[in-house]
Amino acid sequence: MAKETKDYSKYFDFSDAKVISEDESGKKIRIRGRDIQILSEPDHRKEKQRGKEDIRVLYDTAVPEELKGLGNGRKYIIYTYGCQMNEHDTETMKGLLEEMGYTPTEERKEANLILLNTCAIRENAEDKVFGELGHLKGLKTENPDLLLGVCGCMSQEEGVVNRIMQKHGFVDMIFGTHNIHRLPYLIQEALFSKEMVVEVWSKEGDIIENLPKKREGMRAWVNIMYGCDKFCTYCIVPFTRGKERSRRPEDVIAEVRDLARQGFKEITLLGQNVNAYGKDFTDIDYTFANLMDDIRQIDIPRIRFTTSHPRDFDDALIEVLAKGGNLVEHIHLPVQSGNTEVLKRMSRKYSREHYLELVRKIKKAIPNVVLTTDIIVGFPGETEEQFQDTLSLVREVGYDFAFTFIYSPREGTPAAVMEDNVPMEVKKERLQRLNEVVNEHCRMSNDLMAGKIVEVLVEGESKNNADVLSGRTRSNKLVHFEGSKDLIGKFVHVEITDPMTWYIKGNIVPEAVTSV
Ligand code: SAH
Ligand code: SF4
Ligand code: F3S
């Protein structure tokens, strides 16, 4: 089958790129003396397609014996950007690398392999990565044996891959989010060929089970699904992460059980859109509510999930969450905007009224629920009045925390071609006004905790003061208190003394827990 010829001139001047060879397995090109082996490269058109074919689940994915010693005596570092999905992918890559014999280091000069697990969600996320690549260029000059890889969501973008091939020829590997399990092979290829190896799959692959994972601490992430089919008009994730596909319930449950046996104290179920879980099953009728109901029976003290989409948040799920127990009373429920017209242009598929109604139902069923959210300001065409709707919604819901962002156009998304007519000054000013309103409520809600006794899972020493421990309540509030290091990884009860905006201070008490 003939391969399509790619238009390399689309983003950059590829006039000095020469195709050296091309066949079914890929092609080799040379740019400014650097040989590049392209096994497969991203294609925006294919990333958009949603095929009907069944997703295969592969279980036999161990690192092959012959690659197991490849990392012996070698050290690695992975820098992770972006969301928890990426953090968790990093745990998988660490697992793979350590099975190959690699050991971790924090010292760049010592590293034989550095991977950048990147995020493409906003332009500033990408700028950070290109900045880091600039720094790593020097390191690579000093140590030509260093293997440098770029992976994650940015690698799924044609423009990024082209830019790296053209301007950052010192990179050794580019791979995407669908072929993480191929890491051992790609390392082998890059090490032995000395060429830049590019392998990015544009169509989501299969669900790969049983990959090794290096988990640390007492909190664990568990993927329940991959991808996103929502196509919010501003968002790049459906392109970088592919179509929605759910892991089989038995595989998720077995993993959570195993984590419980290992003594993990908290599990976060992960997906871009967790409450769409199960919608892709053709053989069973099993939803996110069913999964939560099954998982809550496993002996793990705390179970969280992120992120849920307001559109798919049904009554059955609310009913299960209201059972409480190890299902904590914190829901991250991104709203993005408080104005129905803007929500429509964002293609969020719910209205302000629908969202507020959902919040009312949740609060009724779970009276002590803590809600947090994501909000974008300065979406194309957002008027002052529409922005005020966001402020009024934030006041009405009363979020305890919000991730707030200035809209950032992402190439290839529908919003990127809408007229971006809100001046940057106005966007910045709206962000500031929004943050003030969010902080006001957050402080108020923290103030209400004064004098209460809360259950805290102790995570570690506080960042700024080694004598102080920090941990989180069930509702995910950060608590600082004095205590001995042996408490790390355990549950303690803390009486709140000094609420702040971003954290609350308290003292450990021996009494039984009474509230959130
Ligand atoms: N799947 C999650 C969100 C993933 S991205 C959900 O649907 O809620 C995390 C957040 O980044 C989004 O909720 C949104 O607020 C923000 N975001 C996504 N694309 C953006 C863009 N182009 N500009 C600014 N913020 C964006
Ligand atoms: Fe992006 Fe929307 Fe999917 Fe969230 S639901 S990942 S914002 S497209
Ligand atoms: Fe970023 Fe990809 Fe997550 S774009 S937010 S790392 S899914």
Side-chain angles (χ1 to χ4, degrees):
M1 191 181 61
K3 281 197 148 221
E4 274 179 30
T5 325
K6 192 111 201 166
D7 178 11
Y8 285 112
S9 61
K10 191 166 164 196
Y11 300 96
F12 292 98
D13 174 17
F14 274 89
S15 50
D16 48 1
K18 245 202 276 164
V19 175
I20 296 171
S21 62
E22 186 165 8
D23 63 21
E24 285 303 296
S25 61
K27 72 177 136 205
K28 194 180 282 191
I29 63 173
R30 183 171 297 155
I31 303 178
R32 301 203 194 107
R34 175 67 156 147
D35 284 353
I36 305 179
Q37 214 188 113
I38 304 179
L39 301 173
S40 56
E41 57 196 318
D43 178 331
H44 188 74
R45 212 168 31 84
K46 286 196 195 129
E47 284 175 348
K48 213 161 132 186
Q49 288 163 1
R50 290 296 184 262
K52 287 262 177 283
E53 67 279 11
D54 279 347
I55 293 287
R56 287 180 313 166
V57 186
L58 306 183
Y59 292 93
D60 188 15
T61 53
V63 176
E65 283 307 317
E66 68 272 17
L67 298 185
K68 275 196 171 157
L70 204 60
N72 286 350
R74 295 188 159 122
K75 296 193 170 165
Y76 75 89
I77 303 185
I78 307 183
Y79 295 114
T80 312
Y81 304 80
C83 65
Q84 291 178 343
M85 199 74 68
N86 254 18
E87 297 276 354
H88 190 42
D89 285 347
T90 289
E91 292 182 336
T92 305
M93 291 194 278
K94 286 181 175 176
L96 288 166
L97 292 176
E98 295 193 14
E99 275 203 3
M100 292 174 74
Y102 280 94
T103 51
T105 177
E106 286 180 7
E107 187 46 64
R108 285 177 171 218
K109 288 212 154 66
E110 245 180 46
N112 306 90
L113 169 68
I114 298 182
L115 296 179
L116 302 184
N117 190 7
T118 63
C119 170
I121 201 81
R122 284 168 291 276
E123 200 179 344
N124 57 5
E126 299 203 346
D127 292 345
K128 272 192 226 158
V129 169
F130 281 113
E132 188 63 50
L133 273 180
H135 297 142
L136 290 171
K137 185 177 183 181
L139 203 63
K140 181 83 187 178
T141 320
E142 283 166 34
N143 174 12
D145 287 336
L146 169 68
L147 212 56
L148 203 58
V150 178
C151 57
C153 287
M154 276 172 71
S155 304
Q156 294 292 145
E157 293 180 272
E158 289 174 33
V160 168
V161 172
N162 290 346
R163 178 168 162 184
I164 294 176
M165 289 198 295
Q166 237 223 348
K167 302 209 161 154
H168 306 275
F170 54 92
V171 168
D172 300 288
M173 289 183 291
I174 308 177
F175 58 100
T177 58
H178 303 309
N179 59 341
I180 282 175
H181 59 290
R182 295 264 307 151
L183 179 59
Y185 301 91
L186 299 177
I187 291 179
Q188 181 189 39
E189 198 54 41
L191 271 179
F192 294 124
S193 72
K194 304 264 178 223
E195 294 164 353
M196 183 195 293
V197 178
V198 180
E199 187 182 85
V200 180
W201 295 353
S202 297
K203 266 190 74 56
E204 56 286 333
D206 307 304
I207 290 184
I208 317 287
E209 291 293 342
N210 298 338
L211 288 177
K213 295 185 175 69
K214 187 186 183 195
R215 289 184 164 105
E216 287 158 300
M218 75 300 289
R219 297 184 300 158
W221 290 303
V222 174
N223 268 124
I224 62 166
M225 60 185 305
Y226 302 96
C228 181
D229 285 350
K230 284 279 186 281
F231 288 101
C232 302
T233 54
Y234 50 80
C235 185
I236 199 152
V237 172
F239 304 98
T240 64
R241 293 277 169 173
K243 81 170 175 185
E244 272 172 13
R245 49 222 195 274
S246 308
R247 286 178 69 199
R248 303 297 301 181
E250 57 275 20
D251 292 332
V252 175
I253 290 168
E255 184 171 353
V256 176
R257 284 218 176 97
D258 186 44
L259 293 168
R261 265 193 300 272
Q262 291 177 43
F264 281 90
K265 301 284 193 300
E266 184 178 299
I267 300 280
T268 304
L269 304 176
L270 278 189
Q272 287 304 340
N273 191 3
V274 285
N275 38 358
Y277 177 82
K279 292 195 169 171
D280 53 323
F281 292 146
T282 48
D283 56 335
I284 48 170
D285 192 8
Y286 190 88
T287 62
F288 184 55
N290 297 130
L291 183 70
M292 288 302 272
D293 209 16
D294 284 339
I295 286 187
R296 78 186 177 84
Q297 296 174 45
I298 299 174
D299 191 13
I300 287 262
R302 288 180 178 180
I303 295 164
R304 304 184 185 281
F305 58 89
T306 197
T307 303
S308 54
H309 192 291
R311 162 89 188 246
D312 297 321
F313 216 108
D314 55 21
D315 293 347
L317 177 59
I318 299 177
E319 205 177 300
V320 173
L321 296 179
K323 295 180 183 176
N326 54 4
L327 305 182
V328 299
E329 35 295 317
H330 167 217
I331 301 175
H332 186 63
L333 196 61
V335 65
Q336 315 299 357
S337 163
N339 176 272
T340 299
E341 178 51 36
V342 175
L343 287 169
K344 206 168 178 183
R345 277 187 289 120
M346 288 177 162
S347 196
R348 288 291 286 179
K349 302 181 183 78
Y350 54 82
S351 61
R352 172 191 176 93
E353 290 68 35
H354 171 104
Y355 186 92
L356 287 172
E357 177 55 24
L358 174 62
V359 167
R360 268 190 288 278
K361 278 200 252 175
I362 293 175
K363 284 184 173 172
K364 189 161 173 244
I366 314 166
N368 56 346
V369 73
V370 161
L371 295 171
T372 56
T373 199
D374 294 350
I375 298 169
I376 297 175
V377 300
F379 187 75
E382 184 191 62
T383 64
E384 170 62 24
E385 272 168 16
Q386 291 171 332
F387 170 66
Q388 297 230 4
D389 282 347
T390 298
L391 293 182
S392 73
L393 179 135
V394 168
R395 287 203 181 93
E396 189 165 339
V397 175
Y399 297 106
D400 275 48
F401 184 77
F403 293 100
T404 55
F405 308 105
I406 288 179
Y407 166 71
S408 168
R410 304 285 57 217
E411 186 163 355
T413 61
V417 292
M418 296 178 190
E419 195 193 346
D420 189 4
N421 54 356
V422 185
M424 188 42 102
E425 281 315 302
V426 175
K427 289 179 180 167
K428 285 187 180 161
E429 182 248 359
R430 285 184 191 165
L431 185 72
Q432 200 184 338
R433 280 158 65 202
L434 173 63
N435 286 343
E436 278 163 18
V437 175
V438 171
N439 297 352
E440 230 171 77
H441 185 273
C442 178
R443 180 62 198 252
M444 208 166 69
S445 137
N446 286 355
D447 283 347
L448 287 176
M449 294 180 73
K452 290 198 174 160
I453 295 172
V454 293
E455 177 201 88
V456 175
L457 175 56
V458 188
E459 286 172 14
E461 290 168 6
S462 129
K463 273 191 200 127
N464 306 321
N465 185 347
D467 295 332
V468 172
L469 296 175
S470 77
R472 299 229 172 222
T473 63
R474 283 171 63 90
S475 56
N476 216 26
K477 291 204 185 246
L478 186 61
V479 185
H480 287 179
F481 49 93
E482 284 180 17
S484 121
K485 283 194 193 83
D486 324 336
L487 294 172
I488 294 174
K490 298 194 174 121
F491 286 99
V492 294
H493 297 137
V494 174
E495 180 173 9
I496 302 307
T497 51
D498 299 295
M500 307 289 190
T501 305
W502 302 123
Y503 64 98
I504 47 188
K505 283 201 230 170
N507 296 323
I508 295 192
V509 289
E511 285 108 288
V513 64
T514 55
S515 77
V516 289

